[in-house]
Amino acid sequence: MFLIVPLIIFAVIVGINFFSYLSNNHIYSRRDVFIAAEVWTVLIAPALFLDKFDIGQKNDCCSDSALFAPGNSAGIYVVIVLCTAAYFYASLRERLSTPLVELLLNAVLITGLCLNVLLVMHIHPQEFGGFFWSLGNVPIIMLFIMVMQKNKQLLQNGLEQDRVAAHNAVSAISLKILRCNAWIRFPVLALLALPLLLLLSLVLFLFGQKPDTLIRAFTETYKHGFSQLDYMCENVQCGGHFLCSVAANGHKAIVQPERYGERNGHKIICNRQLLIANAFEDLLQQHTPRVHQCIRKEYNKVGSLVHRYYGVFNNKLVADVVYVVMKPLEWFFLLVLYAFDTKPENRIAQQYLSSKDRMKIQEVQQNKV
């Protein structure tokens, strides 16, 4: 929470200077104050952000999940470092480089701008923290636009003073692109950034990364804007009966799923082992609530451990092994049900039904009475 104050303060400073720079080409704040805002916004805040939401994090259905896919985040980190270096070089320098270097510099800057736009869309705003940090990208976008506008002004001043000239065809094309208005220049620079990202992907490939690692960094995640693995969390009930996960993730020929059920408002896949185990717990709770409470307390510790390492149990072979190991307990539960319940199969069949289905069963039973 101590980060909220500096984030808001520097965001306001950046916002004021952004609109001032666009209107009269001058920053409003003192130079040292604006530099402090730049360092915080572009360097310190992103480092804290990555440390909190990504570095050391894993794809986890039951807690904060990594922002970038583990194993594919290295490419994104390289892009962030390059864009940060390009920003501070462009912000602190006073003289232009060659036209080709200026073109490449602006292409990297537009990459950083686009990356932050993607992050705003990727960071899930469901929680306050996610929404809060997604707003932190807006000042970065403003600063990148400002520094690109500064580059345009330096180019115009250089052309007016005859300090910039095209000595070959490549320089001439570079100057022509850089002199275009923003509505043409920005899209062209974005297109030029694609070959740079492709070159970076090839370099990363040489170091063991996948060719599409930059895309996978966004898509192979849970619970974020571009995540494509959310389906892997659909049947995970955090802190609940971990047999739900076994029934959902094991091979069908072994765990033998029977039907869908509902638990805490979420749809789950049920097999007979799960239904029997829950029916046994239901019987225990009905006749010996204190014993049930003690057993459930200890069992929840097992469930928490399983969900902490859910990535392991997401493997179908591991799920199959768990199912087989639980088989003797299933037979014991079934024996107890048939010994102490007058209608054991009815109790088993009613497990994990929706509240609507339960009401229908109760109505039918009342009508029979």
Side-chain angles (χ1 to χ4, degrees), residues 202 205 232 236 262 293 315:
L202 292 175
F205 179 71
M232 299 178 71
V236 180
E262 184 176 300
Q293 187 177 7
N315 184 286

Side-chain angles (χ1 to χ4, degrees), residues 296-354:
R296 187 68 211 186
K297 183 178 179 181
E298 295 302 317
Y299 182 75
N300 283 341
K301 295 179 181 178
V302 178
S304 298
L305 179 65
V306 170
H307 286 295
R308 188 182 305 170
Y309 300 100
Y310 184 74
V312 175
F313 289 87
N314 191 45
N315 184 286
K316 287 185 177 294
L317 292 177
V318 174
D320 294 341
V321 171
V322 173
Y323 174 82
V324 173
V325 170
M326 292 294 295
K327 205 64 180 173
L329 275 177
E330 176 191 342
W331 295 332
F332 171 74
F333 295 155
L334 190 61
L335 177 62
V336 173
L337 285 168
Y338 269 85
F340 297 98
D341 196 346
T342 56
K343 297 181 179 180
E345 288 300 328
N346 285 359
R347 188 184 293 269
I348 294 171
Q350 291 180 29
Q351 300 306 309
Y352 294 112
L353 294 179
S354 65

